[in-house]
mmCIF file with all atom_site columns, all heavy atoms in Angstrom:
data_model
loop_
_atom_site.group_PDB
_atom_site.id
_atom_site.type_symbol
_atom_site.label_atom_id
_atom_site.label_alt_id
_atom_site.label_comp_id
_atom_site.label_asym_id
_atom_site.label_entity_id
_atom_site.label_seq_id
_atom_site.pdbx_PDB_ins_code
_atom_site.Cartn_x
_atom_site.Cartn_y
_atom_site.Cartn_z
_atom_site.occupancy
_atom_site.B_iso_or_equiv
_atom_site.pdbx_formal_charge
_atom_site.auth_seq_id
_atom_site.auth_comp_id
_atom_site.auth_asym_id
_atom_site.auth_atom_id
_atom_site.pdbx_PDB_model_num
ATOM 1   N N   . LEU A 1 86  ? -2.079  -12.220 8.511   1.00 95.00 ? 86  LEU A N   1
ATOM 2   C CA  . LEU A 1 86  ? -3.492  -12.545 8.237   1.00 95.00 ? 86  LEU A CA  1
ATOM 3   C C   . LEU A 1 86  ? -4.315  -11.277 8.026   1.00 95.00 ? 86  LEU A C   1
ATOM 4   O O   . LEU A 1 86  ? -5.172  -11.214 7.150   1.00 95.00 ? 86  LEU A O   1
ATOM 5   C CB  . LEU A 1 86  ? -4.085  -13.352 9.391   1.00 95.00 ? 86  LEU A CB  1
ATOM 6   C CG  . LEU A 1 86  ? -3.643  -14.809 9.504   1.00 95.00 ? 86  LEU A CG  1
ATOM 7   C CD1 . LEU A 1 86  ? -4.171  -15.433 10.786  1.00 95.00 ? 86  LEU A CD1 1
ATOM 8   C CD2 . LEU A 1 86  ? -4.106  -15.623 8.310   1.00 95.00 ? 86  LEU A CD2 1
ATOM 9   N N   . TYR A 1 87  ? -4.037  -10.261 8.838   1.00 96.00 ? 87  TYR A N   1
ATOM 10  C CA  . TYR A 1 87  ? -4.747  -8.986  8.703   1.00 96.00 ? 87  TYR A CA  1
ATOM 11  C C   . TYR A 1 87  ? -4.468  -8.364  7.335   1.00 96.00 ? 87  TYR A C   1
ATOM 12  O O   . TYR A 1 87  ? -5.346  -7.760  6.730   1.00 96.00 ? 87  TYR A O   1
ATOM 13  C CB  . TYR A 1 87  ? -4.310  -8.006  9.807   1.00 96.00 ? 87  TYR A CB  1
ATOM 14  C CG  . TYR A 1 87  ? -5.252  -7.962  10.982  1.00 96.00 ? 87  TYR A CG  1
ATOM 15  C CD1 . TYR A 1 87  ? -5.261  -8.984  11.930  1.00 96.00 ? 87  TYR A CD1 1
ATOM 16  C CD2 . TYR A 1 87  ? -6.116  -6.901  11.173  1.00 96.00 ? 87  TYR A CD2 1
ATOM 17  C CE1 . TYR A 1 87  ? -6.114  -8.948  13.012  1.00 96.00 ? 87  TYR A CE1 1
ATOM 18  C CE2 . TYR A 1 87  ? -6.976  -6.848  12.258  1.00 96.00 ? 87  TYR A CE2 1
ATOM 19  C CZ  . TYR A 1 87  ? -6.970  -7.869  13.175  1.00 96.00 ? 87  TYR A CZ  1
ATOM 20  O OH  . TYR A 1 87  ? -7.821  -7.826  14.249  1.00 96.00 ? 87  TYR A OH  1
ATOM 21  N N   . ARG A 1 88  ? -3.210  -8.494  6.886   1.00 96.00 ? 88  ARG A N   1
ATOM 22  C CA  . ARG A 1 88  ? -2.853  -7.913  5.576   1.00 96.00 ? 88  ARG A CA  1
ATOM 23  C C   . ARG A 1 88  ? -3.628  -8.615  4.467   1.00 96.00 ? 88  ARG A C   1
ATOM 24  O O   . ARG A 1 88  ? -4.176  -7.980  3.571   1.00 96.00 ? 88  ARG A O   1
ATOM 25  C CB  . ARG A 1 88  ? -1.346  -8.037  5.331   1.00 96.00 ? 88  ARG A CB  1
ATOM 26  C CG  . ARG A 1 88  ? -0.896  -7.315  4.083   1.00 96.00 ? 88  ARG A CG  1
ATOM 27  C CD  . ARG A 1 88  ? 0.550   -6.871  4.110   1.00 96.00 ? 88  ARG A CD  1
ATOM 28  N NE  . ARG A 1 88  ? 1.476   -7.978  4.222   1.00 96.00 ? 88  ARG A NE  1
ATOM 29  C CZ  . ARG A 1 88  ? 2.367   -8.116  5.182   1.00 96.00 ? 88  ARG A CZ  1
ATOM 30  N NH1 . ARG A 1 88  ? 2.444   -7.220  6.139   1.00 96.00 ? 88  ARG A NH1 1
ATOM 31  N NH2 . ARG A 1 88  ? 3.180   -9.132  5.202   1.00 96.00 ? 88  ARG A NH2 1
ATOM 32  N N   . ILE A 1 89  ? -3.682  -9.933  4.540   1.00 96.00 ? 89  ILE A N   1
ATOM 33  C CA  . ILE A 1 89  ? -4.427  -10.695 3.526   1.00 96.00 ? 89  ILE A CA  1
ATOM 34  C C   . ILE A 1 89  ? -5.905  -10.305 3.569   1.00 96.00 ? 89  ILE A C   1
ATOM 35  O O   . ILE A 1 89  ? -6.534  -10.056 2.538   1.00 96.00 ? 89  ILE A O   1
ATOM 36  C CB  . ILE A 1 89  ? -4.252  -12.224 3.736   1.00 96.00 ? 89  ILE A CB  1
ATOM 37  C CG1 . ILE A 1 89  ? -2.799  -12.626 3.500   1.00 96.00 ? 89  ILE A CG1 1
ATOM 38  C CG2 . ILE A 1 89  ? -5.176  -13.016 2.814   1.00 96.00 ? 89  ILE A CG2 1
ATOM 39  C CD1 . ILE A 1 89  ? -2.475  -14.069 3.863   1.00 96.00 ? 89  ILE A CD1 1
ATOM 40  N N   . ALA A 1 90  ? -6.447  -10.240 4.780   1.00 97.00 ? 90  ALA A N   1
ATOM 41  C CA  . ALA A 1 90  ? -7.878  -9.909  4.947   1.00 97.00 ? 90  ALA A CA  1
ATOM 42  C C   . ALA A 1 90  ? -8.174  -8.503  4.409   1.00 97.00 ? 90  ALA A C   1
ATOM 43  O O   . ALA A 1 90  ? -9.196  -8.291  3.755   1.00 97.00 ? 90  ALA A O   1
ATOM 44  C CB  . ALA A 1 90  ? -8.256  -10.006 6.412   1.00 97.00 ? 90  ALA A CB  1
ATOM 45  N N   . THR A 1 91  ? -7.281  -7.564  4.690   1.00 97.00 ? 91  THR A N   1
ATOM 46  C CA  . THR A 1 91  ? -7.480  -6.182  4.211   1.00 97.00 ? 91  THR A CA  1
ATOM 47  C C   . THR A 1 91  ? -7.456  -6.149  2.687   1.00 97.00 ? 91  THR A C   1
ATOM 48  O O   . THR A 1 91  ? -8.341  -5.556  2.055   1.00 97.00 ? 91  THR A O   1
ATOM 49  C CB  . THR A 1 91  ? -6.372  -5.247  4.760   1.00 97.00 ? 91  THR A CB  1
ATOM 50  O OG1 . THR A 1 91  ? -6.304  -5.419  6.166   1.00 97.00 ? 91  THR A OG1 1
ATOM 51  C CG2 . THR A 1 91  ? -6.635  -3.799  4.428   1.00 97.00 ? 91  THR A CG2 1
ATOM 52  N N   . ASN A 1 92  ? -6.456  -6.799  2.105   1.00 97.00 ? 92  ASN A N   1
ATOM 53  C CA  . ASN A 1 92  ? -6.352  -6.807  0.642   1.00 97.00 ? 92  ASN A CA  1
ATOM 54  C C   . ASN A 1 92  ? -7.550  -7.487  -0.003  1.00 97.00 ? 92  ASN A C   1
ATOM 55  O O   . ASN A 1 92  ? -8.070  -7.015  -1.008  1.00 97.00 ? 92  ASN A O   1
ATOM 56  C CB  . ASN A 1 92  ? -5.061  -7.510  0.196   1.00 97.00 ? 92  ASN A CB  1
ATOM 57  C CG  . ASN A 1 92  ? -3.836  -6.683  0.507   1.00 97.00 ? 92  ASN A CG  1
ATOM 58  O OD1 . ASN A 1 92  ? -3.931  -5.477  0.679   1.00 97.00 ? 92  ASN A OD1 1
ATOM 59  N ND2 . ASN A 1 92  ? -2.689  -7.318  0.614   1.00 97.00 ? 92  ASN A ND2 1
ATOM 60  N N   . GLU A 1 93  ? -7.985  -8.583  0.589   1.00 97.00 ? 93  GLU A N   1
ATOM 61  C CA  . GLU A 1 93  ? -9.144  -9.298  0.044   1.00 97.00 ? 93  GLU A CA  1
ATOM 62  C C   . GLU A 1 93  ? -10.393 -8.419  0.107   1.00 97.00 ? 93  GLU A C   1
ATOM 63  O O   . GLU A 1 93  ? -11.195 -8.403  -0.824  1.00 97.00 ? 93  GLU A O   1
ATOM 64  C CB  . GLU A 1 93  ? -9.398  -10.593 0.826   1.00 97.00 ? 93  GLU A CB  1
ATOM 65  C CG  . GLU A 1 93  ? -8.502  -11.744 0.437   1.00 97.00 ? 93  GLU A CG  1
ATOM 66  C CD  . GLU A 1 93  ? -8.688  -12.209 -0.995  1.00 97.00 ? 93  GLU A CD  1
ATOM 67  O OE1 . GLU A 1 93  ? -9.814  -12.510 -1.399  1.00 97.00 ? 93  GLU A OE1 1
ATOM 68  O OE2 . GLU A 1 93  ? -7.686  -12.236 -1.727  1.00 97.00 ? 93  GLU A OE2 1
ATOM 69  N N   . SER A 1 94  ? -10.561 -7.708  1.218   1.00 97.00 ? 94  SER A N   1
ATOM 70  C CA  . SER A 1 94  ? -11.736 -6.836  1.387   1.00 97.00 ? 94  SER A CA  1
ATOM 71  C C   . SER A 1 94  ? -11.728 -5.711  0.356   1.00 97.00 ? 94  SER A C   1
ATOM 72  O O   . SER A 1 94  ? -12.754 -5.426  -0.273  1.00 97.00 ? 94  SER A O   1
ATOM 73  C CB  . SER A 1 94  ? -11.760 -6.209  2.783   1.00 97.00 ? 94  SER A CB  1
ATOM 74  O OG  . SER A 1 94  ? -11.628 -7.203  3.758   1.00 97.00 ? 94  SER A OG  1
ATOM 75  N N   . LEU A 1 95  ? -10.567 -5.084  0.187   1.00 96.00 ? 95  LEU A N   1
ATOM 76  C CA  . LEU A 1 95  ? -10.479 -3.960  -0.761  1.00 96.00 ? 95  LEU A CA  1
ATOM 77  C C   . LEU A 1 95  ? -10.667 -4.454  -2.193  1.00 96.00 ? 95  LEU A C   1
ATOM 78  O O   . LEU A 1 95  ? -11.332 -3.801  -2.994  1.00 96.00 ? 95  LEU A O   1
ATOM 79  C CB  . LEU A 1 95  ? -9.130  -3.237  -0.611  1.00 96.00 ? 95  LEU A CB  1
ATOM 80  C CG  . LEU A 1 95  ? -8.896  -2.553  0.740   1.00 96.00 ? 95  LEU A CG  1
ATOM 81  C CD1 . LEU A 1 95  ? -7.522  -1.904  0.786   1.00 96.00 ? 95  LEU A CD1 1
ATOM 82  C CD2 . LEU A 1 95  ? -9.956  -1.500  1.029   1.00 96.00 ? 95  LEU A CD2 1
ATOM 83  N N   . THR A 1 96  ? -10.089 -5.630  -2.488  1.00 96.00 ? 96  THR A N   1
ATOM 84  C CA  . THR A 1 96  ? -10.258 -6.211  -3.826  1.00 96.00 ? 96  THR A CA  1
ATOM 85  C C   . THR A 1 96  ? -11.730 -6.516  -4.071  1.00 96.00 ? 96  THR A C   1
ATOM 86  O O   . THR A 1 96  ? -12.260 -6.250  -5.155  1.00 96.00 ? 96  THR A O   1
ATOM 87  C CB  . THR A 1 96  ? -9.433  -7.510  -3.956  1.00 96.00 ? 96  THR A CB  1
ATOM 88  O OG1 . THR A 1 96  ? -8.087  -7.209  -3.616  1.00 96.00 ? 96  THR A OG1 1
ATOM 89  C CG2 . THR A 1 96  ? -9.495  -8.092  -5.353  1.00 96.00 ? 96  THR A CG2 1
ATOM 90  N N   . PHE A 1 97  ? -12.392 -7.042  -3.066  1.00 96.00 ? 97  PHE A N   1
ATOM 91  C CA  . PHE A 1 97  ? -13.822 -7.369  -3.182  1.00 96.00 ? 97  PHE A CA  1
ATOM 92  C C   . PHE A 1 97  ? -14.625 -6.112  -3.531  1.00 96.00 ? 97  PHE A C   1
ATOM 93  O O   . PHE A 1 97  ? -15.459 -6.131  -4.435  1.00 96.00 ? 97  PHE A O   1
ATOM 94  C CB  . PHE A 1 97  ? -14.304 -7.974  -1.859  1.00 96.00 ? 97  PHE A CB  1
ATOM 95  C CG  . PHE A 1 97  ? -15.791 -8.146  -1.790  1.00 96.00 ? 97  PHE A CG  1
ATOM 96  C CD1 . PHE A 1 97  ? -16.401 -9.260  -2.343  1.00 96.00 ? 97  PHE A CD1 1
ATOM 97  C CD2 . PHE A 1 97  ? -16.589 -7.190  -1.178  1.00 96.00 ? 97  PHE A CD2 1
ATOM 98  C CE1 . PHE A 1 97  ? -17.775 -9.412  -2.289  1.00 96.00 ? 97  PHE A CE1 1
ATOM 99  C CE2 . PHE A 1 97  ? -17.961 -7.334  -1.120  1.00 96.00 ? 97  PHE A CE2 1
ATOM 100 C CZ  . PHE A 1 97  ? -18.553 -8.451  -1.675  1.00 96.00 ? 97  PHE A CZ  1
ATOM 101 N N   . LEU A 1 98  ? -14.357 -5.022  -2.818  1.00 94.00 ? 98  LEU A N   1
ATOM 102 C CA  . LEU A 1 98  ? -15.094 -3.782  -3.071  1.00 94.00 ? 98  LEU A CA  1
ATOM 103 C C   . LEU A 1 98  ? -14.793 -3.232  -4.465  1.00 94.00 ? 98  LEU A C   1
ATOM 104 O O   . LEU A 1 98  ? -15.685 -2.753  -5.156  1.00 94.00 ? 98  LEU A O   1
ATOM 105 C CB  . LEU A 1 98  ? -14.753 -2.725  -2.021  1.00 94.00 ? 98  LEU A CB  1
ATOM 106 C CG  . LEU A 1 98  ? -15.266 -2.980  -0.595  1.00 94.00 ? 98  LEU A CG  1
ATOM 107 C CD1 . LEU A 1 98  ? -14.894 -1.815  0.312   1.00 94.00 ? 98  LEU A CD1 1
ATOM 108 C CD2 . LEU A 1 98  ? -16.769 -3.192  -0.569  1.00 94.00 ? 98  LEU A CD2 1
ATOM 109 N N   . LYS A 1 99  ? -13.527 -3.334  -4.874  1.00 93.00 ? 99  LYS A N   1
ATOM 110 C CA  . LYS A 1 99  ? -13.145 -2.814  -6.199  1.00 93.00 ? 99  LYS A CA  1
ATOM 111 C C   . LYS A 1 99  ? -13.794 -3.638  -7.297  1.00 93.00 ? 99  LYS A C   1
ATOM 112 O O   . LYS A 1 99  ? -14.248 -3.089  -8.298  1.00 93.00 ? 99  LYS A O   1
ATOM 113 C CB  . LYS A 1 99  ? -11.615 -2.820  -6.348  1.00 93.00 ? 99  LYS A CB  1
ATOM 114 C CG  . LYS A 1 99  ? -11.017 -1.652  -5.604  1.00 93.00 ? 99  LYS A CG  1
ATOM 115 C CD  . LYS A 1 99  ? -9.562  -1.430  -5.900  1.00 93.00 ? 99  LYS A CD  1
ATOM 116 C CE  . LYS A 1 99  ? -9.078  -0.220  -5.134  1.00 93.00 ? 99  LYS A CE  1
ATOM 117 N NZ  . LYS A 1 99  ? -8.377  -0.513  -3.917  1.00 93.00 ? 99  LYS A NZ  1
ATOM 118 N N   . GLN A 1 100 ? -13.848 -4.959  -7.110  1.00 92.00 ? 100 GLN A N   1
ATOM 119 C CA  . GLN A 1 100 ? -14.484 -5.820  -8.113  1.00 92.00 ? 100 GLN A CA  1
ATOM 120 C C   . GLN A 1 100 ? -15.974 -5.478  -8.233  1.00 92.00 ? 100 GLN A C   1
ATOM 121 O O   . GLN A 1 100 ? -16.518 -5.423  -9.320  1.00 92.00 ? 100 GLN A O   1
ATOM 122 C CB  . GLN A 1 100 ? -14.313 -7.296  -7.738  1.00 92.00 ? 100 GLN A CB  1
ATOM 123 C CG  . GLN A 1 100 ? -12.949 -7.836  -8.140  1.00 92.00 ? 100 GLN A CG  1
ATOM 124 C CD  . GLN A 1 100 ? -12.710 -9.236  -7.634  1.00 92.00 ? 100 GLN A CD  1
ATOM 125 O OE1 . GLN A 1 100 ? -13.439 -9.750  -6.786  1.00 92.00 ? 100 GLN A OE1 1
ATOM 126 N NE2 . GLN A 1 100 ? -11.657 -9.863  -8.125  1.00 92.00 ? 100 GLN A NE2 1
ATOM 127 N N   . ARG A 1 101 ? -16.595 -5.263  -7.085  1.00 89.00 ? 101 ARG A N   1
ATOM 128 C CA  . ARG A 1 101 ? -18.025 -4.927  -7.086  1.00 89.00 ? 101 ARG A CA  1
ATOM 129 C C   . ARG A 1 101 ? -18.258 -3.601  -7.814  1.00 89.00 ? 101 ARG A C   1
ATOM 130 O O   . ARG A 1 101 ? -19.192 -3.457  -8.587  1.00 89.00 ? 101 ARG A O   1
ATOM 131 C CB  . ARG A 1 101 ? -18.526 -4.833  -5.647  1.00 89.00 ? 101 ARG A CB  1
ATOM 132 C CG  . ARG A 1 101 ? -20.035 -4.882  -5.575  1.00 89.00 ? 101 ARG A CG  1
ATOM 133 C CD  . ARG A 1 101 ? -20.527 -5.149  -4.203  1.00 89.00 ? 101 ARG A CD  1
ATOM 134 N NE  . ARG A 1 101 ? -20.664 -3.917  -3.468  1.00 89.00 ? 101 ARG A NE  1
ATOM 135 C CZ  . ARG A 1 101 ? -21.092 -3.854  -2.218  1.00 89.00 ? 101 ARG A CZ  1
ATOM 136 N NH1 . ARG A 1 101 ? -21.378 -4.966  -1.560  1.00 89.00 ? 101 ARG A NH1 1
ATOM 137 N NH2 . ARG A 1 101 ? -21.211 -2.717  -1.602  1.00 89.00 ? 101 ARG A NH2 1
ATOM 138 N N   . GLN A 1 102 ? -17.348 -2.667  -7.555  1.00 87.00 ? 102 GLN A N   1
ATOM 139 C CA  . GLN A 1 102 ? -17.427 -1.354  -8.198  1.00 87.00 ? 102 GLN A CA  1
ATOM 140 C C   . GLN A 1 102 ? -17.306 -1.498  -9.715  1.00 87.00 ? 102 GLN A C   1
ATOM 141 O O   . GLN A 1 102 ? -18.054 -0.883  -10.462 1.00 87.00 ? 102 GLN A O   1
ATOM 142 C CB  . GLN A 1 102 ? -16.244 -0.520  -7.706  1.00 87.00 ? 102 GLN A CB  1
ATOM 143 C CG  . GLN A 1 102 ? -16.595 0.875   -7.275  1.00 87.00 ? 102 GLN A CG  1
ATOM 144 C CD  . GLN A 1 102 ? -15.359 1.581   -6.779  1.00 87.00 ? 102 GLN A CD  1
ATOM 145 O OE1 . GLN A 1 102 ? -14.586 1.035   -5.999  1.00 87.00 ? 102 GLN A OE1 1
ATOM 146 N NE2 . GLN A 1 102 ? -15.146 2.785   -7.232  1.00 87.00 ? 102 GLN A NE2 1
ATOM 147 N N   . ARG A 1 103 ? -16.329 -2.336  -10.154 1.00 87.00 ? 103 ARG A N   1
ATOM 148 C CA  . ARG A 1 103 ? -16.094 -2.541  -11.592 1.00 87.00 ? 103 ARG A CA  1
ATOM 149 C C   . ARG A 1 103 ? -17.280 -3.234  -12.252 1.00 87.00 ? 103 ARG A C   1
ATOM 150 O O   . ARG A 1 103 ? -17.717 -2.853  -13.323 1.00 87.00 ? 103 ARG A O   1
ATOM 151 C CB  . ARG A 1 103 ? -14.844 -3.398  -11.793 1.00 87.00 ? 103 ARG A CB  1
ATOM 152 C CG  . ARG A 1 103 ? -13.611 -2.582  -12.140 1.00 87.00 ? 103 ARG A CG  1
ATOM 153 C CD  . ARG A 1 103 ? -12.594 -3.411  -12.863 1.00 87.00 ? 103 ARG A CD  1
ATOM 154 N NE  . ARG A 1 103 ? -12.200 -4.586  -12.129 1.00 87.00 ? 103 ARG A NE  1
ATOM 155 C CZ  . ARG A 1 103 ? -11.216 -4.628  -11.246 1.00 87.00 ? 103 ARG A CZ  1
ATOM 156 N NH1 . ARG A 1 103 ? -10.539 -3.537  -10.988 1.00 87.00 ? 103 ARG A NH1 1
ATOM 157 N NH2 . ARG A 1 103 ? -10.891 -5.735  -10.623 1.00 87.00 ? 103 ARG A NH2 1
ATOM 158 N N   . ARG A 1 104 ? -17.798 -4.274  -11.552 1.00 85.00 ? 104 ARG A N   1
ATOM 159 C CA  . ARG A 1 104 ? -18.896 -5.058  -12.120 1.00 85.00 ? 104 ARG A CA  1
ATOM 160 C C   . ARG A 1 104 ? -20.125 -4.201  -12.390 1.00 85.00 ? 104 ARG A C   1
ATOM 161 O O   . ARG A 1 104 ? -20.805 -4.357  -13.375 1.00 85.00 ? 104 ARG A O   1
ATOM 162 C CB  . ARG A 1 104 ? -19.270 -6.204  -11.183 1.00 85.00 ? 104 ARG A CB  1
ATOM 163 C CG  . ARG A 1 104 ? -18.558 -7.502  -11.483 1.00 85.00 ? 104 ARG A CG  1
ATOM 164 C CD  . ARG A 1 104 ? -19.320 -8.665  -10.898 1.00 85.00 ? 104 ARG A CD  1
ATOM 165 N NE  . ARG A 1 104 ? -19.569 -8.533  -9.478  1.00 85.00 ? 104 ARG A NE  1
ATOM 166 C CZ  . ARG A 1 104 ? -18.739 -8.939  -8.530  1.00 85.00 ? 104 ARG A CZ  1
ATOM 167 N NH1 . ARG A 1 104 ? -17.616 -9.508  -8.863  1.00 85.00 ? 104 ARG A NH1 1
ATOM 168 N NH2 . ARG A 1 104 ? -19.035 -8.793  -7.264  1.00 85.00 ? 104 ARG A NH2 1
#
Side-chain angles (χ1 to χ4, degrees):
Chain A
L86 286 173
Y87 262 76
R88 187 154 62 237
I89 295 172
T91 308
N92 289 339
E93 280 296 306
S94 308
L95 296 179
T96 306
F97 171 83
L98 290 182
K99 282 191 179 99
Q100 279 173 347
R101 196 165 87 180
Q102 227 179 313
R103 260 203 304 272
R104 267 201 305 272

